Amino acid sequence: MTDGIEKYIRIDMSRFGAYSACKSPDVIARKLGIPEDEIIKLDANENPYGCSPKVRSALEKYPYFHIYPDSAQTELLEGISKYVRLGKEYIVAGNGSDELIDLLLRLLVSPGEEVITTVPTFDMYRFCTQVCCGKVVEVIRRKDFGVDVRAIKAAITPKTRLIFITNPNNPTGTVTPEKDILELVETGLPLVVDEAYYEFCGQTAASLVPKFTNLIVLRTFSKWAGLAGLRVGYGIFPPDIAQILMKIKPPYSVNLAASVAVRESLKDRAYLLGTVAKMKEERIRLFEMLKGVDYLKPVPSQANFILCEVVKGKASDIQDDLEKQGILVRHYNNPLLKNYIRISVGKPQHTDRIIKALKEIGEKING
Ligand SMILES: Cc1ncc(COP(=O)(O)O)c(C=O)c1O
């Protein structure tokens, strides 16, 4: 082991805890021997209606894929700027909001410095902090998964560089009220409000960004706009931070297909927000039906997924049993989320299928 280049690998990297990404539907389809379009994918909070049809036809006709994208993101930022109703000096786009999380941590965190997260939450904050040799300080959410502002403030030390709040939170679907966000902004520390699921909830801190020098909002086209596979997200930053991020980002990280897709998605906003409205309606129906599954306790959600406590049986077995039927969900079993599954909101027929499957699994669990 020490004779090769392995000895040059950072010790913390060789022990690194990977991000647990969702499974690819083509892999599962091949395993089950069924067509990919029969997989019901409710494990990664994507838009089951897909992208706008305008995106498909624009990509088909686009003539310049052999040319590098505009590293200044000129057209992209103009479009996003109109959508968020803020000047483009506030905005930077990235290869998914994942890239912006990574860039922010590289910008703000040196080895040994601290990043506060409010767990259970999205694991990329931990992942990117550790890549930078930073220390993750986990503040546990309350029993109802609400953010404990007092505990966050108590966790601040001279080494704290950043606080993350996910709103609505993944995987709990719970929302942090604006007064709590304002209280945290007043600490003066950089505060990231990750609004990946904003369109499903409607509450935003975007209009507050120009009022403070330390507030950052992250958003994505992956969820509401159905562009998860094209990888494009954006952040709304204080202009000084945006300027530095434009300097340190890889020049062409948002590819041309993604830029064209954003342009067309923003033009076809009414259609996309129509699919969001259908998912919000379906969220209500899914929640009601999950309440009827006797071994699940669903948590009310403002996002496009519902977390459920599994009160009888094992969450991992339920995930496996569903997977055998081509239905993908995500399970959690850790000290903060002992025995939970998270189900993305799909189309009505997806709800019907998963509820039927869950009831059948229930017969097995109840013996
Ligand atoms: C809270 C949260 N932030 C960010 C992301 C990443 O989004 P993107 O696809 O834009 O990288 C996700 C994806 O699941 C998420 O749940």
Side-chain angles (χ1 to χ4, degrees), residues 139-157:
V139 175
I140 298 173
R141 286 171 174 260
R142 295 187 311 250
K143 239 179 142 197
D144 63 359
F145 299 121
V147 158
D148 186 342
V149 175
R150 249 212 283 167
I152 295 176
K153 285 169 131 181
I156 294 171
T157 76

Side-chain angles (χ1 to χ4, degrees), residues 96-98 122 125 166 170 194 196-197 220 222-223 231:
S97 47
D98 281 350
F122 185 49
Y125 316 134
T166 318
N170 176 13
D194 183 342
Y197 302 95
T220 181
S222 294
K223 313 296 179 179
R231 313 300 304 124

Side-chain angles (χ1 to χ4, degrees), residues 309-362:
E309 185 179 0
V310 177
V311 291
K312 201 168 170 196
K314 257 176 82 183
S316 57
D317 290 347
I318 294 166
Q319 179 183 309
D320 291 346
D321 280 355
L322 289 170
E323 189 179 304
K324 283 181 199 139
Q325 302 183 47
I327 304 171
L328 310 185
V329 300
R330 181 157 186 173
H331 93 278
Y332 299 85
N333 197 16
N334 58 54
L336 292 172
L337 284 178
K338 278 193 202 118
N339 219 24
Y340 280 80
I341 57 170
R342 190 195 66 193
I343 304 171
S344 305
V345 177
K347 294 179 177 176
Q349 62 266 38
H350 300 153
T351 302
D352 296 342
R353 267 289 303 281
I354 192 167
I355 294 293
K356 181 168 175 284
L358 286 169
K359 293 224 160 132
E360 282 162 13
I361 292 168

